[in-house]
Amino acid sequence: MNQNRSHALFTRAQDLIPGGVNSPVRAFKSVGGEPFFAQRAEGAYLFDVDGNRYIDYVGSWGPMVAGHARPEVLAAVETTMRDGLSFGVPNALEVEMAEAITHIVPSCEMVRMVNSGTEATLSAIRVARGVTGRTRIVKFEGCYHGHGDSFLVKAGSGVMTLGLPNSPGVPDALADLTTTIPYNDFEAASALFEATGDEIAGLIIEPIVGNANCILPRDGYLQHLRELCTRHGALLIFDEVMTGFRVALGGAQARYGITPDLSTFGKIIGGGMPVGAYGGKREYMAQVAPSGPIYQAGTLSGNPVAMAAGLATLALIREPGFHDELERRTHQLCDGLEAAAREANVAFHTTRAPGMFGLYFREGPVETFEDAKASDAAKFKRFFHGMLERGVYLAPSAFEAGFMSSAHGDAEIAHTVKAARSVFSDMG
Ligand SMILES: Cc1ncc(COP(=O)(O)O)c(C=O)c1O
């Protein structure tokens, strides 16, 4: 595969941008090699600057659940931008977005738009601290909530991929206020709340973990956390930046029937534009400035073009049957990959949620972060590159979930499984 232009761009970029990329996981550090540079994208495909085409299972890390460059989304963006790119005064599209989110996610009685998932989670823990008057935040090993100081403690995603789960630059005094416990461990959560429940402002969780590969909650686990938070007066925060509008229209909270106190969103609600949001119970959100004293602001928050892209994407995924079809396609892909691995005698396991999947080079089940870490990283690396050479782009890390979109149909899945069969047979 010719990647000369990508190589030339990466060489220039490395001199100017840390690691040559504007977000670490794009750099292929853990799988080796160099990233390709995108020229354009359409449906399930990415096209690079050298003219190569890839079936894309990253989907811009989640936003493109309805496929790339959907005409409906592009048209909404084009129409909106003709009226100006940013106003700095309120705009009707912000109200429409707030109505859409609060309608789709009933636990969000009020919502505030921000510009990224990181801003959403930072703001949510400020609200949790502000309304409870407590300081301690609880998170889970391997969960990633953006790069805010309080979250870079045993974090997943890129920090895990690079082996830096705690980051220099985060003051110990602040990191000490974050307690991490293992995901899916009922006892660890009970014991922590038993010991220090009255110090805990909020517990933040990816209800389905997508930043330590893809780990689903054990039966009753999210309910257990809900009960602990209620009993001890801590706020339950669902970080649905990844799962929101994907694993069900109403996100993981709809899929599992749990009502969190606060939720955070991003990715899909921006339709590919930079967006985040946080929302929750009215009594908590009403304490955010200017209606209350908890300060949070943003020059570009609620940007009209971003709202237009997000609203057009929400319209697409609100079509009846959208998420059922996404789930069926995810199973079709994962069943095909598992069958191909079995034929080649390669130890391999998948985990799945609608539109999300995890790939493991080990036997299942995978229910904990320790299970996920036990996947054979060297085999993943070979698989990743083998697939890339055959025109299939997977997340360049063994600690990131894969993403399906509604544009991944029979042809794309068949091509992916055929490529996997060939890579597995080289590995077996
Ligand atoms: C669950 C979760 N929360 C928060 C974030 C941070 O979002 P952003 O990268 O938009 O700041 C991410 C990013 O991948 C995420 O997956």
Side-chain angles (χ1 to χ4, degrees):
M1 188 181 278
N2 172 3
Q3 293 191 327
N4 293 343
R5 289 189 174 159
S6 279
H7 176 69
L9 283 167
F10 194 53
T11 306
R12 279 165 61 197
Q14 278 176 296
D15 207 32
L16 304 165
I17 307 170
V21 289
N22 281 315
S23 195
V25 174
R26 297 178 197 168
F28 281 36
K29 277 265 187 191
S30 74
V31 289
E34 293 185 353
F36 60 86
F37 280 62
Q39 180 70 43
R40 67 184 191 89
E42 192 181 335
Y45 293 93
L46 275 178
F47 299 83
D48 73 13
V49 287
D50 291 287
N52 302 304
R53 187 179 85 156
Y54 309 86
I55 300 173
D56 179 21
Y57 288 103
V58 180
S60 190
W61 301 93
M64 314 318 297
V65 71
H68 288 285
R70 284 289 298 253
E72 300 89 333
V73 178
L74 298 185
V77 167
E78 279 168 16
T79 307
T80 307
M81 76 183 189
R82 286 207 190 90
D83 287 332
L85 295 178
S86 179
F87 307 128
V89 296
N91 176 261
L93 293 171
E94 296 170 71
V95 187
E96 275 184 47
M97 178 58 90
E99 281 169 349
I101 294 176
T102 54
H103 182 77
I104 294 172
V105 187
S107 74
C108 290
E109 294 166 347
M110 294 183 97
V111 64
R112 168 61 64 78
M113 299 311 296
V114 292
N115 303 291
S116 67
T118 294
E119 262 188 78
T121 55
L122 284 173
S123 307
I125 61 165
R126 184 172 304 142
V127 171
R129 285 173 164 153
V131 302
T132 59
R134 302 173 180 178
T135 49
R136 183 153 303 283
I137 298 297
V138 178
K139 72 176 281 294
F140 293 81
E141 289 165 16
C143 280
Y144 179 71
H145 304 291
H147 65 87
D149 286 350
S150 297
F151 302 122
L152 293 181
V153 183
K154 296 191 184 171
S157 186
V159 277
M160 180 66 212
T161 303
L162 299 174
L164 309 165
N166 307 317
S167 170
V170 176
D172 287 347
L174 192 54
D176 286 348
L177 296 177
T178 302
T179 302
T180 54
I181 53 174
Y183 180 83
N184 262 343
D185 184 333
F186 286 70
E187 259 316 296
S190 301
L192 177 73
F193 273 85
E194 205 56 53
T196 59
D198 58 351
E199 293 172 20
I200 298 170
L203 173 148
I204 186 164
I205 186 166
E206 290 181 71
I208 295 171
V209 185
N211 285 293
N213 216 323
C214 182
I215 311 173
L216 280 80
R218 284 183 171 138
D219 279 352
Y221 186 63
L222 298 173
Q223 186 59 41
H224 178 62
L225 299 177
R226 174 65 279 177
E227 284 160 16
L228 286 173
C229 286
T230 304
R231 196 174 325 134
H232 293 272
L235 269 55
L236 177 66
I237 308 168
F238 269 16
D239 181 354
E240 298 233 43
V241 167
M242 200 181 267
T243 52
F245 312 99
R246 173 176 291 276
V247 298
L249 180 61
Q253 53 194 277
R255 191 166 170 82
Y256 294 105
I258 308 290
T259 305
D261 298 301
L262 296 174
S263 302
T264 56
F265 304 103
K267 302 194 192 267
I268 289 174
I269 39 159
M273 300 292 286
V275 167
Y278 66 102
K281 279 197 181 141
R282 185 175 299 277
E283 61 176 297
Y284 302 139
M285 292 302 292
Q287 297 194 42
V288 175
S291 60
I294 301 171
Y295 200 73
Q296 183 273 313
T299 300
L300 293 173
S301 294
N303 174 270
V305 184
M307 296 304 96
L311 284 166
T313 302
L314 288 182
L316 293 172
I317 69 171
R318 287 172 97 162
E319 287 293 318
F322 180 92
H323 292 87
D324 292 340
E325 180 63 7
L326 197 60
E327 179 166 27
R328 191 177 73 75
R329 292 294 188 187
T330 311
H331 284 301
Q332 188 183 345
L333 173 75
C334 290
D335 288 343
L337 293 176
E338 286 190 354
R342 262 194 312 275
E343 282 165 32
N345 258 326
V346 173
F348 180 78
H349 178 69
T350 64
T351 50
R352 310 120 187 234
M356 280 172 77
F357 58 87
L359 307 179
Y360 301 91
F361 285 86
R362 53 160 289 167
E363 300 296 344
V366 173
E367 297 183 346
T368 66
F369 187 35
E370 294 307 313
D371 293 342
K373 283 195 291 190
S375 174
D376 186 327
K379 284 200 177 136
F380 174 79
K381 210 164 146 175
R382 282 177 65 193
F383 184 68
F384 170 83
H385 282 290
M387 294 299 278
L388 193 65
E389 280 158 24
R390 290 163 179 79
V392 178
Y393 180 52
L394 300 166
S397 162
F399 294 105
E400 300 284 352
F403 292 117
M404 296 286 286
S405 80
S406 55
H408 291 77
D410 286 334
E412 288 75 25
I413 293 173
H415 179 108
T416 306
V417 172
K418 187 169 166 223
R421 198 171 288 125
S422 154
V423 181
F424 284 139
S425 78
D426 287 351
M427 289 167 74

